[in-house]
Amino acid sequence: MKKVTIQNIAEELNLSRNTVAKALNGGNVSFETKMTVIQKAYEMGYSKLDQHLIEEMNSVMKDSNTGTILVLFNRAESFFWNRILTGISDELNKKGYRMQLHIVDESDITGEETLKLVVSDVKAIIFLCIFPIEFAQSMSKAGLPMTFFNAPVDAAEYLAIGDVLTLEGRFSVSRVVQKVIDMDKKTFGFIGYTKGCKTIYDRYCGFMETLRKNNLKPEQDCLFTRDAKNHYYDYEVIERIILSLSHIPEVFVCANDDIAKYVASALAKIDMQKARDIVLIGFDNTIEKEFFKSDIYTVDIRKEAVGRRLVKSVLDQIEEKMDHSIITLETYPII
């Protein structure tokens, strides 16, 4: 019999030789890809397949078909969300569950159509993004464990029906703002809808508390915290704001990196030097290296870890009925 090689396995799976080699040697590939490669290598009689990989594959197959976890989403995909979804998918695969991702139609306000997805195989629901409480309460009729990623500023209604996972923002933003104050910056603005969700509200609180601690006040005409179209996640909205300003503060603290990039791009239309000089603070660590202003201060989130923690929350609820809780994950200022 012809000896089976890594190249043979790669050709069977339509993967690169490098990907297969990583999967068989502890490299950085998704759990799903790893299991697929191991199974194919076993089927083809690959002689160098380690026994512990065979045992891992058998364990996963034994625990498979445990059920489906429904993941509800209401935004277009992006790099930020893709990595969280990767974390969810990988962790569910390890635990023997399947992930069913559903983009909720805006017209399904009551959740009646989405509720039809809850068949006997669905064991729990993860909500990405913030859904109206009416929608969440409707989904709770299914009687399944639920975990929400983020929530309104007052999360009490969500906590009554499921766990709430949020990201620490108050202290991490405070550290970045303090770093900028130590650079002798004195004029500050803020852009972000502070009543839109708990995470952005916490970031705003960290910003304001740090200014007060340093006997500083924000520029009142540079505070944009009320609701706006798409909660400021719209370049045209940011451009109108920047064009309307009578002066530009030394620092703009933004609810996230996307808004920070919009501010930089809008400023570049007015004065490229100002766009380069202004200090921008964002959140999420999604600034591309090739973006013209790559020196935006930000806060990192271990996005795959967020996905894994969401899975842990619902699986814990499946295994043991317990009181709902607010789970706050650490974030990492890049300063």
Side-chain angles (χ1 to χ4, degrees):
M1 183 179 291
K2 184 179 178 181
K3 182 180 178 181
V4 176
T5 67
I6 286 178
Q7 184 62 42
N8 296 147
I9 300 169
E11 289 172 356
E12 281 289 317
L13 294 173
N14 198 26
L15 295 173
S16 71
R17 185 184 185 284
N18 187 43
T19 298
V20 172
K22 285 181 179 179
L24 296 174
N25 294 287
N28 185 22
V29 297
S30 72
F31 184 80
E32 186 174 10
T33 298
K34 178 183 176 182
M35 287 298 106
T36 300
V37 170
I38 294 171
Q39 186 171 358
K40 179 57 68 174
Y42 181 77
E43 292 171 355
M44 294 177 69
Y46 180 60
S47 61
K48 296 181 180 179
L49 187 61
D50 286 347
Q51 184 60 34
H52 81 275
L53 293 179
I54 297 174
E55 292 172 358
E56 184 179 4
M57 176 190 71
N58 288 336
S59 176
V60 169
M61 291 180 69
K62 180 180 178 182
D63 294 336
S64 64
N65 300 321
T66 306
T68 297
I69 305 300
L70 180 61
V71 179
L72 302 181
F73 199 45
N74 64 4
R75 289 187 186 172
E77 292 188 27
S78 68
F79 175 70
F80 175 84
W81 293 109
N82 286 346
R83 290 181 61 185
I84 290 177
L85 287 167
T86 296
I88 292 174
S89 178
D90 284 354
E91 191 65 14
L92 288 176
N93 283 327
K94 287 180 185 178
K95 301 298 183 182
Y97 287 84
R98 294 180 296 278
M99 179 180 81
Q100 180 181 350
L101 178 63
H102 176 67
I103 310 297
V104 177
D105 192 283
E106 291 182 359
S107 64
D108 189 19
I109 299 173
T110 63
E112 289 182 11
E113 290 302 313
T114 306
L115 199 55
K116 293 177 183 177
L117 298 172
V118 182
V119 294
S120 59
D121 187 53
V122 175
K123 305 302 182 185
I125 305 173
I126 294 173
F127 296 76
L128 295 184
C129 314
I130 296 180
F131 290 85
I133 186 59
E134 296 79 11
F135 179 91
Q137 288 171 336
S138 177
M139 295 303 299
S140 72
K141 294 174 184 176
L144 297 175
M146 304 196 305
T147 295
F148 301 90
F149 179 45
N150 207 352
V153 177
D154 180 0
E157 289 182 303
Y158 287 78
L159 197 57
I161 56 178
D163 283 357
V164 174
L165 187 143
T166 186
L167 302 171
E168 198 293 305
R170 185 182 300 243
F171 303 122
S172 54
V173 167
S174 176
R175 286 182 59 192
V176 180
V177 172
Q178 186 61 56
K179 171 72 174 180
V180 172
I181 291 173
D182 293 342
M183 295 163 54
D184 203 32
K185 303 299 181 183
K186 308 235 181 250
T187 58
F188 289 78
F190 185 97
I191 300 181
Y193 180 37
T194 56
K195 292 184 179 180
C197 63
K198 181 171 172 50
T199 54
I200 292 177
Y201 177 75
D202 288 347
R203 295 167 200 177
Y204 178 71
C205 289
F207 161 67
M208 292 295 289
E209 288 166 3
T210 308
L211 290 190
R212 285 195 293 269
K213 187 174 70 174
N214 289 272
N215 297 315
L216 294 173
K217 293 182 178 181
E219 304 286 295
Q220 288 299 316
D221 54 351
C222 296
L223 287 181
F224 299 92
T225 60
R226 296 181 178 180
D227 197 7
K229 181 183 177 183
N230 293 329
H231 300 343
Y232 300 101
Y233 303 133
D234 186 313
Y235 173 74
E236 291 182 357
V237 171
I238 299 300
E239 184 179 61
R240 285 198 296 271
I241 286 173
I242 297 303
L243 290 173
S244 71
L245 294 175
S246 59
H247 69 288
I248 306 296
E250 296 173 290
V251 183
F252 250 126
V253 179
C254 305
N256 61 23
D257 289 345
D258 286 340
I259 295 175
K261 288 189 288 187
Y262 292 158
V263 171
S265 299
L267 270 174
K269 283 192 172 184
I270 303 171
D271 187 324
M272 179 58 80
Q273 191 57 49
K274 283 185 179 180
R276 293 189 185 281
D277 290 345
I278 191 171
V279 175
L280 294 176
I281 298 174
F283 206 98
D284 294 341
N285 191 24
T286 59
I287 305 296
E288 305 92 342
K289 291 182 179 178
E290 60 270 19
F291 187 65
F292 83 91
K293 188 170 178 61
S294 58
D295 60 343
I296 296 173
Y297 287 89
T298 190
V299 176
D300 192 27
I301 300 164
R302 294 179 181 172
K303 301 171 186 66
E304 288 89 347
V306 171
R308 293 193 295 270
R309 191 63 183 83
L310 286 164
V311 170
K312 184 179 187 313
S313 171
V314 291
L315 295 191
D316 283 350
Q317 292 177 68
I318 290 173
E319 293 169 9
E320 180 182 357
K321 186 171 178 60
M322 59 187 71
D323 291 339
H324 298 140
S325 59
I326 295 180
I327 304 157
T328 304
L329 297 189
E330 184 179 6
T331 54
Y332 307 88
I334 300 177
I335 55 178

